[in-house]
Each structure stands twice: as C-alpha cells, then as structure tokens.
Amino acid sequence: MTGQTDSTTTGAPHTLSTVPLASMPCSQLTVESFMTAHARPVEDVAVAVEQEHIVGDDYGWFGQESLDRYAPGRAAAVMAAVRGVAQRCTAYTDALDDGTRTHNTVSVRRADARADDSLVLRVASTFSGDTDPFITETGFVREGDVIIMVQKMVARKPKSGVETVLAPAVAAYRAATAG
C-alpha cells in the first residue's frame, strides 16, 4: 500500500495516550496504533500492508508492519505489558460507533522461538447473530530494544496466520542488522 496516501509513517507517536499500555481498554487491541499511543517508542517506522481479495471466500486483509525502538531495557517491559493486557482481556464485549455490539475473544501464542521474546495476539470478533468471526492478528517479535510488529486487520476465514507476514519482516530486520 506504499502508493497510497498516509500508508507510511515515521516519528511516532501520532496520538499519545495518558493511559499506560497495561491499563488500556481491551477494545484497543484491534486498533493499529495502540502500541505507539500507549507505549511511546524512541523511534517508529510503519508501513501499511495488504493482501487483496483473490477468489471465493478469501476476503483478503489489510494492516501494518512497524518497527519500534525503545530506550534500553524498555522493550521487554512493553512486551510484558502486552501479555498483561491479553491476560486481562481474554473475552470482552465492545460497542461500535453505530451501537452494534461485538463479542471478542483473545488468545496468545509464541511467534518466534529464536527471538528474545515474541507473541501473536488473535482477536476473534463476532457480531450478534453471526457465527463467522472477524479475525485480527498482531504478531510481535522483540530483538533487544526493538519490537517488530505486524498486524493483520479484520479478515474472515484467513488462509494463513500473521506469521506468514511476520517471518519475512523479522528476517529482513535480522539481515539488515547482521554485522
């Protein structure tokens, strides 16, 4: 999506929250800027990504890839805060702007065994009377003081997990920093 307006950003955060990451509302787990809003990095670079609809029930997806550099030792605390939010928000109900309510369930798994720390957050959001959830996945890999995050937003019946996008992003970062 780099050809689209506002698809690439640098210099986070754009909107800083006074609420720390560990205390943020559960509903913000599916907002693409929750990391830069609640856990201000020293440096941030992000690019919008997407896979367009191909055929049949493959709805495609959109999201972002970001690299956030934190002050020494801070990235580990940020990852711990993300885990804390996921543990606190295993199931929650959210109201959309039009008053529609969604039921959301959150699960966590490890993303990259070679990383200093990693996890994938998966939020399944179901509307009342609908059994086919929308899936948002956010993958995090911490390498020292850097957190690489890839977020796949609002996909139904995803053909693959966020790891298919996260792994190349991590590999590119590792190759660029190898020395």
mmCIF file with all atom_site columns, all heavy atoms in Angstrom, residues 34-51:
data_model
loop_
_atom_site.group_PDB
_atom_site.id
_atom_site.type_symbol
_atom_site.label_atom_id
_atom_site.label_alt_id
_atom_site.label_comp_id
_atom_site.label_asym_id
_atom_site.label_entity_id
_atom_site.label_seq_id
_atom_site.pdbx_PDB_ins_code
_atom_site.Cartn_x
_atom_site.Cartn_y
_atom_site.Cartn_z
_atom_site.occupancy
_atom_site.B_iso_or_equiv
_atom_site.pdbx_formal_charge
_atom_site.auth_seq_id
_atom_site.auth_comp_id
_atom_site.auth_asym_id
_atom_site.auth_atom_id
_atom_site.pdbx_PDB_model_num
ATOM 1   N N   . PHE A 1 34 ? -2.265 1.143   18.692 1.00 0.00 ? 34 PHE A N   1
ATOM 2   C CA  . PHE A 1 34 ? -2.272 1.038   20.149 1.00 0.00 ? 34 PHE A CA  1
ATOM 3   C C   . PHE A 1 34 ? -0.876 1.019   20.749 1.00 0.00 ? 34 PHE A C   1
ATOM 4   O O   . PHE A 1 34 ? -0.650 1.537   21.842 1.00 0.00 ? 34 PHE A O   1
ATOM 5   C CB  . PHE A 1 34 ? -3.114 -0.145  20.643 1.00 0.00 ? 34 PHE A CB  1
ATOM 6   C CG  . PHE A 1 34 ? -2.464 -1.504  20.594 1.00 0.00 ? 34 PHE A CG  1
ATOM 7   C CD1 . PHE A 1 34 ? -1.680 -1.948  21.647 1.00 0.00 ? 34 PHE A CD1 1
ATOM 8   C CD2 . PHE A 1 34 ? -2.667 -2.351  19.516 1.00 0.00 ? 34 PHE A CD2 1
ATOM 9   C CE1 . PHE A 1 34 ? -1.105 -3.203  21.624 1.00 0.00 ? 34 PHE A CE1 1
ATOM 10  C CE2 . PHE A 1 34 ? -2.098 -3.605  19.485 1.00 0.00 ? 34 PHE A CE2 1
ATOM 11  C CZ  . PHE A 1 34 ? -1.309 -4.030  20.548 1.00 0.00 ? 34 PHE A CZ  1
ATOM 12  N N   . MET A 1 35 ? 0.105  0.478   20.062 1.00 0.00 ? 35 MET A N   1
ATOM 13  C CA  . MET A 1 35 ? 1.462  0.444   20.612 1.00 0.00 ? 35 MET A CA  1
ATOM 14  C C   . MET A 1 35 ? 2.061  1.844   20.721 1.00 0.00 ? 35 MET A C   1
ATOM 15  O O   . MET A 1 35 ? 2.592  2.210   21.766 1.00 0.00 ? 35 MET A O   1
ATOM 16  C CB  . MET A 1 35 ? 2.367  -0.436  19.753 1.00 0.00 ? 35 MET A CB  1
ATOM 17  C CG  . MET A 1 35 ? 2.105  -1.912  19.901 1.00 0.00 ? 35 MET A CG  1
ATOM 18  S SD  . MET A 1 35 ? 2.653  -2.567  21.478 1.00 0.00 ? 35 MET A SD  1
ATOM 19  C CE  . MET A 1 35 ? 4.426  -2.575  21.226 1.00 0.00 ? 35 MET A CE  1
ATOM 20  N N   . THR A 1 36 ? 1.978  2.637   19.661 1.00 0.00 ? 36 THR A N   1
ATOM 21  C CA  . THR A 1 36 ? 2.587  3.964   19.709 1.00 0.00 ? 36 THR A CA  1
ATOM 22  C C   . THR A 1 36 ? 1.786  4.922   20.584 1.00 0.00 ? 36 THR A C   1
ATOM 23  O O   . THR A 1 36 ? 2.343  5.874   21.115 1.00 0.00 ? 36 THR A O   1
ATOM 24  C CB  . THR A 1 36 ? 2.770  4.555   18.303 1.00 0.00 ? 36 THR A CB  1
ATOM 25  O OG1 . THR A 1 36 ? 1.515  4.565   17.631 1.00 0.00 ? 36 THR A OG1 1
ATOM 26  C CG2 . THR A 1 36 ? 3.797  3.770   17.509 1.00 0.00 ? 36 THR A CG2 1
ATOM 27  N N   . ALA A 1 37 ? 0.506  4.672   20.762 1.00 0.00 ? 37 ALA A N   1
ATOM 28  C CA  . ALA A 1 37 ? -0.311 5.529   21.621 1.00 0.00 ? 37 ALA A CA  1
ATOM 29  C C   . ALA A 1 37 ? -0.063 5.251   23.102 1.00 0.00 ? 37 ALA A C   1
ATOM 30  O O   . ALA A 1 37 ? -0.044 6.174   23.914 1.00 0.00 ? 37 ALA A O   1
ATOM 31  C CB  . ALA A 1 37 ? -1.790 5.335   21.304 1.00 0.00 ? 37 ALA A CB  1
ATOM 32  N N   . HIS A 1 38 ? 0.123  3.988   23.463 1.00 0.00 ? 38 HIS A N   1
ATOM 33  C CA  . HIS A 1 38 ? 0.207  3.616   24.881 1.00 0.00 ? 38 HIS A CA  1
ATOM 34  C C   . HIS A 1 38 ? 1.613  3.234   25.349 1.00 0.00 ? 38 HIS A C   1
ATOM 35  O O   . HIS A 1 38 ? 1.822  3.073   26.552 1.00 0.00 ? 38 HIS A O   1
ATOM 36  C CB  . HIS A 1 38 ? -0.749 2.458   25.167 1.00 0.00 ? 38 HIS A CB  1
ATOM 37  C CG  . HIS A 1 38 ? -2.182 2.829   24.970 1.00 0.00 ? 38 HIS A CG  1
ATOM 38  N ND1 . HIS A 1 38 ? -2.897 3.568   25.883 1.00 0.00 ? 38 HIS A ND1 1
ATOM 39  C CD2 . HIS A 1 38 ? -3.033 2.575   23.947 1.00 0.00 ? 38 HIS A CD2 1
ATOM 40  C CE1 . HIS A 1 38 ? -4.125 3.751   25.438 1.00 0.00 ? 38 HIS A CE1 1
ATOM 41  N NE2 . HIS A 1 38 ? -4.232 3.163   24.258 1.00 0.00 ? 38 HIS A NE2 1
ATOM 42  N N   . ALA A 1 39 ? 2.538  3.031   24.442 1.00 0.00 ? 39 ALA A N   1
ATOM 43  C CA  . ALA A 1 39 ? 3.913  2.650   24.808 1.00 0.00 ? 39 ALA A CA  1
ATOM 44  C C   . ALA A 1 39 ? 4.870  3.389   23.885 1.00 0.00 ? 39 ALA A C   1
ATOM 45  O O   . ALA A 1 39 ? 5.444  2.816   22.959 1.00 0.00 ? 39 ALA A O   1
ATOM 46  C CB  . ALA A 1 39 ? 4.100  1.141   24.698 1.00 0.00 ? 39 ALA A CB  1
ATOM 47  N N   . ARG A 1 40 ? 5.038  4.666   24.133 1.00 0.00 ? 40 ARG A N   1
ATOM 48  C CA  . ARG A 1 40 ? 5.791  5.547   23.239 1.00 0.00 ? 40 ARG A CA  1
ATOM 49  C C   . ARG A 1 40 ? 7.204  5.028   22.960 1.00 0.00 ? 40 ARG A C   1
ATOM 50  O O   . ARG A 1 40 ? 8.017  4.914   23.869 1.00 0.00 ? 40 ARG A O   1
ATOM 51  C CB  . ARG A 1 40 ? 5.871  6.929   23.845 1.00 0.00 ? 40 ARG A CB  1
ATOM 52  C CG  . ARG A 1 40 ? 6.585  7.903   22.949 1.00 0.00 ? 40 ARG A CG  1
ATOM 53  C CD  . ARG A 1 40 ? 6.709  9.261   23.582 1.00 0.00 ? 40 ARG A CD  1
ATOM 54  N NE  . ARG A 1 40 ? 7.357  10.156  22.642 1.00 0.00 ? 40 ARG A NE  1
ATOM 55  C CZ  . ARG A 1 40 ? 6.991  11.389  22.430 1.00 0.00 ? 40 ARG A CZ  1
ATOM 56  N NH1 . ARG A 1 40 ? 5.998  11.888  23.111 1.00 0.00 ? 40 ARG A NH1 1
ATOM 57  N NH2 . ARG A 1 40 ? 7.621  12.122  21.555 1.00 0.00 ? 40 ARG A NH2 1
ATOM 58  N N   . PRO A 1 41 ? 7.506  4.738   21.695 1.00 0.00 ? 41 PRO A N   1
ATOM 59  C CA  . PRO A 1 41 ? 8.872  4.335   21.345 1.00 0.00 ? 41 PRO A CA  1
ATOM 60  C C   . PRO A 1 41 ? 9.751  5.568   21.146 1.00 0.00 ? 41 PRO A C   1
ATOM 61  O O   . PRO A 1 41 ? 9.254  6.679   20.963 1.00 0.00 ? 41 PRO A O   1
ATOM 62  C CB  . PRO A 1 41 ? 8.676  3.592   20.022 1.00 0.00 ? 41 PRO A CB  1
ATOM 63  C CG  . PRO A 1 41 ? 7.477  4.230   19.418 1.00 0.00 ? 41 PRO A CG  1
ATOM 64  C CD  . PRO A 1 41 ? 6.589  4.630   20.564 1.00 0.00 ? 41 PRO A CD  1
ATOM 65  N N   . VAL A 1 42 ? 11.051 5.348   21.151 1.00 0.00 ? 42 VAL A N   1
ATOM 66  C CA  . VAL A 1 42 ? 12.001 6.411   20.824 1.00 0.00 ? 42 VAL A CA  1
ATOM 67  C C   . VAL A 1 42 ? 11.952 6.679   19.324 1.00 0.00 ? 42 VAL A C   1
ATOM 68  O O   . VAL A 1 42 ? 11.993 7.819   18.880 1.00 0.00 ? 42 VAL A O   1
ATOM 69  C CB  . VAL A 1 42 ? 13.431 6.007   21.260 1.00 0.00 ? 42 VAL A CB  1
ATOM 70  C CG1 . VAL A 1 42 ? 14.459 7.031   20.801 1.00 0.00 ? 42 VAL A CG1 1
ATOM 71  C CG2 . VAL A 1 42 ? 13.493 5.817   22.766 1.00 0.00 ? 42 VAL A CG2 1
ATOM 72  N N   . GLU A 1 43 ? 11.848 5.592   18.535 1.00 0.00 ? 43 GLU A N   1
ATOM 73  C CA  . GLU A 1 43 ? 11.741 5.689   17.076 1.00 0.00 ? 43 GLU A CA  1
ATOM 74  C C   . GLU A 1 43 ? 10.659 4.736   16.601 1.00 0.00 ? 43 GLU A C   1
ATOM 75  O O   . GLU A 1 43 ? 10.481 3.664   17.168 1.00 0.00 ? 43 GLU A O   1
ATOM 76  C CB  . GLU A 1 43 ? 13.042 5.274   16.399 1.00 0.00 ? 43 GLU A CB  1
ATOM 77  C CG  . GLU A 1 43 ? 14.219 6.161   16.640 1.00 0.00 ? 43 GLU A CG  1
ATOM 78  C CD  . GLU A 1 43 ? 15.443 5.613   15.933 1.00 0.00 ? 43 GLU A CD  1
ATOM 79  O OE1 . GLU A 1 43 ? 16.111 4.753   16.531 1.00 0.00 ? 43 GLU A OE1 1
ATOM 80  O OE2 . GLU A 1 43 ? 15.694 6.028   14.791 1.00 0.00 ? 43 GLU A OE2 1
ATOM 81  N N   . ASP A 1 44 ? 9.983  5.133   15.533 1.00 0.00 ? 44 ASP A N   1
ATOM 82  C CA  . ASP A 1 44 ? 8.936  4.286   14.950 1.00 0.00 ? 44 ASP A CA  1
ATOM 83  C C   . ASP A 1 44 ? 8.941  4.468   13.447 1.00 0.00 ? 44 ASP A C   1
ATOM 84  O O   . ASP A 1 44 ? 9.024  5.581   12.950 1.00 0.00 ? 44 ASP A O   1
ATOM 85  C CB  . ASP A 1 44 ? 7.562  4.685   15.502 1.00 0.00 ? 44 ASP A CB  1
ATOM 86  C CG  . ASP A 1 44 ? 6.418  4.055   14.734 1.00 0.00 ? 44 ASP A CG  1
ATOM 87  O OD1 . ASP A 1 44 ? 6.204  2.848   14.890 1.00 0.00 ? 44 ASP A OD1 1
ATOM 88  O OD2 . ASP A 1 44 ? 5.745  4.767   13.968 1.00 0.00 ? 44 ASP A OD2 1
ATOM 89  N N   . VAL A 1 45 ? 8.862  3.348   12.737 1.00 0.00 ? 45 VAL A N   1
ATOM 90  C CA  . VAL A 1 45 ? 8.673  3.370   11.292 1.00 0.00 ? 45 VAL A CA  1
ATOM 91  C C   . VAL A 1 45 ? 7.578  2.355   11.007 1.00 0.00 ? 45 VAL A C   1
ATOM 92  O O   . VAL A 1 45 ? 7.618  1.232   11.512 1.00 0.00 ? 45 VAL A O   1
ATOM 93  C CB  . VAL A 1 45 ? 9.958  2.978   10.532 1.00 0.00 ? 45 VAL A CB  1
ATOM 94  C CG1 . VAL A 1 45 ? 9.710  2.963   9.038  1.00 0.00 ? 45 VAL A CG1 1
ATOM 95  C CG2 . VAL A 1 45 ? 11.090 3.928   10.874 1.00 0.00 ? 45 VAL A CG2 1
ATOM 96  N N   . ALA A 1 46 ? 6.582  2.742   10.229 1.00 0.00 ? 46 ALA A N   1
ATOM 97  C CA  . ALA A 1 46 ? 5.483  1.828   9.924  1.00 0.00 ? 46 ALA A CA  1
ATOM 98  C C   . ALA A 1 46 ? 5.097  1.958   8.461  1.00 0.00 ? 46 ALA A C   1
ATOM 99  O O   . ALA A 1 46 ? 5.222  3.024   7.863  1.00 0.00 ? 46 ALA A O   1
ATOM 100 C CB  . ALA A 1 46 ? 4.275  2.131   10.808 1.00 0.00 ? 46 ALA A CB  1
ATOM 101 N N   . VAL A 1 47 ? 4.629  0.857   7.909  1.00 0.00 ? 47 VAL A N   1
ATOM 102 C CA  . VAL A 1 47 ? 4.144  0.851   6.535  1.00 0.00 ? 47 VAL A CA  1
ATOM 103 C C   . VAL A 1 47 ? 2.853  0.045   6.502  1.00 0.00 ? 47 VAL A C   1
ATOM 104 O O   . VAL A 1 47 ? 2.722  -0.969  7.191  1.00 0.00 ? 47 VAL A O   1
ATOM 105 C CB  . VAL A 1 47 ? 5.194  0.271   5.555  1.00 0.00 ? 47 VAL A CB  1
ATOM 106 C CG1 . VAL A 1 47 ? 5.514  -1.173  5.871  1.00 0.00 ? 47 VAL A CG1 1
ATOM 107 C CG2 . VAL A 1 47 ? 4.745  0.426   4.112  1.00 0.00 ? 47 VAL A CG2 1
ATOM 108 N N   . ALA A 1 48 ? 1.884  0.513   5.743  1.00 0.00 ? 48 ALA A N   1
ATOM 109 C CA  . ALA A 1 48 ? 0.632  -0.213  5.585  1.00 0.00 ? 48 ALA A CA  1
ATOM 110 C C   . ALA A 1 48 ? 0.857  -1.377  4.631  1.00 0.00 ? 48 ALA A C   1
ATOM 111 O O   . ALA A 1 48 ? 1.637  -1.275  3.681  1.00 0.00 ? 48 ALA A O   1
ATOM 112 C CB  . ALA A 1 48 ? -0.450 0.714   5.035  1.00 0.00 ? 48 ALA A CB  1
ATOM 113 N N   . VAL A 1 49 ? 0.224  -2.499  4.905  1.00 0.00 ? 49 VAL A N   1
ATOM 114 C CA  . VAL A 1 49 ? 0.332  -3.691  4.061  1.00 0.00 ? 49 VAL A CA  1
ATOM 115 C C   . VAL A 1 49 ? -1.057 -4.248  3.793  1.00 0.00 ? 49 VAL A C   1
ATOM 116 O O   . VAL A 1 49 ? -1.983 -4.032  4.571  1.00 0.00 ? 49 VAL A O   1
ATOM 117 C CB  . VAL A 1 49 ? 1.232  -4.778  4.711  1.00 0.00 ? 49 VAL A CB  1
ATOM 118 C CG1 . VAL A 1 49 ? 2.675  -4.322  4.781  1.00 0.00 ? 49 VAL A CG1 1
ATOM 119 C CG2 . VAL A 1 49 ? 0.740  -5.148  6.095  1.00 0.00 ? 49 VAL A CG2 1
ATOM 120 N N   . GLU A 1 50 ? -1.195 -4.969  2.689  1.00 0.00 ? 50 GLU A N   1
ATOM 121 C CA  . GLU A 1 50 ? -2.476 -5.604  2.401  1.00 0.00 ? 50 GLU A CA  1
ATOM 122 C C   . GLU A 1 50 ? -2.292 -6.775  1.450  1.00 0.00 ? 50 GLU A C   1
ATOM 123 O O   . GLU A 1 50 ? -1.304 -6.864  0.722  1.00 0.00 ? 50 GLU A O   1
ATOM 124 C CB  . GLU A 1 50 ? -3.467 -4.615  1.796  1.00 0.00 ? 50 GLU A CB  1
ATOM 125 C CG  . GLU A 1 50 ? -3.189 -4.239  0.350  1.00 0.00 ? 50 GLU A CG  1
ATOM 126 C CD  . GLU A 1 50 ? -4.236 -3.334  -0.256 1.00 0.00 ? 50 GLU A CD  1
ATOM 127 O OE1 . GLU A 1 50 ? -5.428 -3.441  0.117  1.00 0.00 ? 50 GLU A OE1 1
ATOM 128 O OE2 . GLU A 1 50 ? -3.873 -2.505  -1.094 1.00 0.00 ? 50 GLU A OE2 1
ATOM 129 N N   . GLN A 1 51 ? -3.255 -7.677  1.508  1.00 0.00 ? 51 GLN A N   1
ATOM 130 C CA  . GLN A 1 51 ? -3.398 -8.730  0.508  1.00 0.00 ? 51 GLN A CA  1
ATOM 131 C C   . GLN A 1 51 ? -4.809 -8.583  -0.023 1.00 0.00 ? 51 GLN A C   1
ATOM 132 O O   . GLN A 1 51 ? -5.777 -8.697  0.727  1.00 0.00 ? 51 GLN A O   1
ATOM 133 C CB  . GLN A 1 51 ? -3.214 -10.116 1.114  1.00 0.00 ? 51 GLN A CB  1
ATOM 134 C CG  . GLN A 1 51 ? -3.437 -11.209 0.096  1.00 0.00 ? 51 GLN A CG  1
ATOM 135 C CD  . GLN A 1 51 ? -3.313 -12.597 0.702  1.00 0.00 ? 51 GLN A CD  1
ATOM 136 O OE1 . GLN A 1 51 ? -2.558 -12.809 1.627  1.00 0.00 ? 51 GLN A OE1 1
ATOM 137 N NE2 . GLN A 1 51 ? -4.078 -13.523 0.179  1.00 0.00 ? 51 GLN A NE2 1
#
